[in-house]
Amino acid sequence: MNNYTNRGSRDTRSGFGEALVELGRENPKIVALCADLIGSLKMNEFAKEFPERFFEVGIAEANMIGLAAGMTIGGKIPFTGTFANFSTARVYDQIRQSVAYSRKNVKICASHAGVTLGEDGATHQSLEDIGMMKMLPYMTVINPCDFNQTKAATKAIATHVGPVYLRFGRPKVPNFTSPDQEFIIGKALMLQEGSDVTIIATGHLVWKALEAARILADEGIRAEVVNIHTIKPLDDKAVLASVKKTGCVVSAEEHMRNGGLGDSVAQLLAQHYPAPMEMVAVDDKFGKSGTPEELLSRYGLDTPDILDAVHKVLSRKVNPR
């Protein structure tokens, strides 16, 4: 069994911030826009080092998206930054009309996603954003799992031509992937090979999936753990290959069940390889205020919840109805 080690917990938004300033040094076409949340998005260093390429638009997110779309016409590569809720729901019309429809090369970078935003509560916790963004034609949707992967993803989207939604979070989480990893958009990562059950996870729940796999190993259950950092385009080949090997699957994500990663996996399996499936996700609820740890537990997104889902799906695999 692979033994992933936490290299020191860090927030994924800081991975974005570090990569952004490095991109600024490498490519003069990189520009950044923020909606009055420079510190929260970790865009301070970029703004300080490249003031002529940084645009503080204030609390005017729709205007920010419009400005970013216009900048692409002049060859700039704009990175926009605000909370996930404000990066999507508040500006969906602008993204649809000005970015996705015309395939503008805008990078929509969204922090404080999911319930782990914590105490700010339901008005700021975005649990619908992946679904909203993956429904837009031509939009690439990426949800990395830790600091290192977020940094690598930020650099990768700078060379990808077309609109991208990059989702990351507020709290410090285990940082366990390689600092010099190659990030390939649309390519799933096999973290742990197994033969009994597939656990497909994204974002903060990838570490939780690895924790669950270690516990399952002690029970004699060999779980295969797949890190889906790119939700759209989904790595259909990797998902199908894993589920055909194990015969059942659990998806795990910090997002609403409707429209999320599990939804995409279920559609794929329904079309090509029906198999027993359980989803670890928020079940049609808004968030509440609390610590990240409290909320992950309250909404069924913690390691024990993945374990419960595995046991349920295995019972269906062994005793199909």
Side-chain angles (χ1 to χ4, degrees):
M1 180 174 181
N2 295 330
N3 185 21
Y4 290 92
T5 302
N6 182 4
R7 302 167 186 266
S9 294
R10 302 188 69 179
D11 50 308
T12 50
R13 57 180 171 154
S14 288
F16 163 72
E18 281 197 16
L20 184 63
V21 73
E22 290 179 15
L23 284 170
R25 294 167 186 157
E26 297 166 4
N27 188 346
K29 293 182 179 180
I30 300 290
V31 296
L33 304 87
C34 190
D36 200 36
L37 288 167
I38 300 174
S40 295
L41 270 289
K42 303 298 181 180
M43 300 173 87
N44 317 59
E45 289 304 313
F46 186 96
K48 180 180 178 181
E49 192 164 336
F50 309 105
E52 75 286 357
R53 287 194 272 149
F54 180 79
F55 302 88
E56 171 56 83
V57 303
I59 305 175
E61 293 85 357
N63 188 41
M64 178 174 69
I65 295 298
L67 285 169
M71 288 177 177
T72 66
I73 298 172
K76 302 299 183 185
I77 305 173
F79 283 67
T80 68
T82 185
F83 289 0
N85 202 25
F86 308 147
S87 290
T88 56
R90 184 170 288 183
V91 293
Y92 199 64
D93 179 60
Q94 284 73 24
I95 293 172
R96 183 185 187 276
Q97 305 296 85
S98 299
V99 177
Y101 178 68
S102 52
R103 305 193 195 192
K104 292 293 193 301
N105 194 29
V106 176
K107 316 306 173 185
I108 301 166
C109 304
S111 183
H112 292 55
V115 294
T116 50
L117 167 57
E119 290 81 356
D120 287 359
T123 58
H124 287 56
Q125 294 163 351
S126 183
L127 295 169
E128 314 87 11
D129 54 312
I130 290 174
M132 295 174 68
M133 299 306 281
K134 80 176 189 181
M135 284 192 295
L136 290 171
Y138 317 128
M139 183 67 68
T140 294
V141 179
I142 297 175
N143 186 39
C145 65
D146 67 0
F147 172 92
N148 286 337
Q149 193 169 79
T150 305
K151 186 172 181 179
T154 304
K155 291 190 171 185
I157 68 174
T159 57
H160 172 83
V161 179
V164 175
Y165 180 64
L166 177 65
R167 183 189 206 245
F168 43 92
R170 176 187 189 182
K172 292 182 177 180
V173 295
N175 185 34
F176 60 95
T177 66
S178 172
D180 57 357
Q181 65 189 276
E182 180 185 13
F183 189 95
I184 302 176
I185 295 172
K187 180 67 174 177
L189 296 176
M190 178 71 70
L191 299 184
Q192 171 74 45
E193 292 202 25
S195 57
D196 296 322
V197 60
T198 297
I199 305 176
I200 293 178
T202 188
H204 293 156
L205 266 62
V206 173
W207 179 257
K208 300 291 185 181
L210 288 170
E211 287 184 329
R214 284 191 282 268
I215 296 170
L216 291 166
D218 291 337
E219 300 176 9
I221 299 171
R222 295 164 293 179
E224 184 149 290
V225 180
V226 183
N227 174 3
I228 300 288
H229 53 65
T230 306
I231 295 173
K232 182 187 175 186
L234 184 67
D235 191 343
D236 295 358
K237 184 178 179 180
V239 172
L240 289 171
S242 181
V243 179
K244 285 178 180 179
K245 178 169 65 170
T246 64
C248 59
V249 60
V250 170
S251 63
E253 60 191 308
E254 189 185 346
H255 186 270
M256 200 75 72
R257 180 177 298 179
N258 292 333
L261 169 64
D263 179 87
S264 292
V265 171
Q267 289 184 48
L268 176 67
L269 296 179
Q271 289 178 307
H272 300 286
Y273 192 78
M277 180 175 179
E278 292 288 333
M279 298 183 190
V280 174
V282 178
D283 188 14
D284 200 33
K285 295 181 178 69
F286 286 106
K288 292 185 180 294
S289 296
T291 67
E293 294 77 15
E294 289 171 340
L295 294 172
L296 286 172
S297 177
R298 180 187 179 99
Y299 289 97
L301 307 177
D302 213 341
T303 304
D305 302 295
I306 297 176
L307 292 170
D308 287 346
V310 167
H311 291 135
K312 286 179 182 178
V313 84
L314 285 173
S315 70
R316 293 168 56 200
K317 174 185 172 182
V318 174
N319 300 302
R321 292 182 178 179

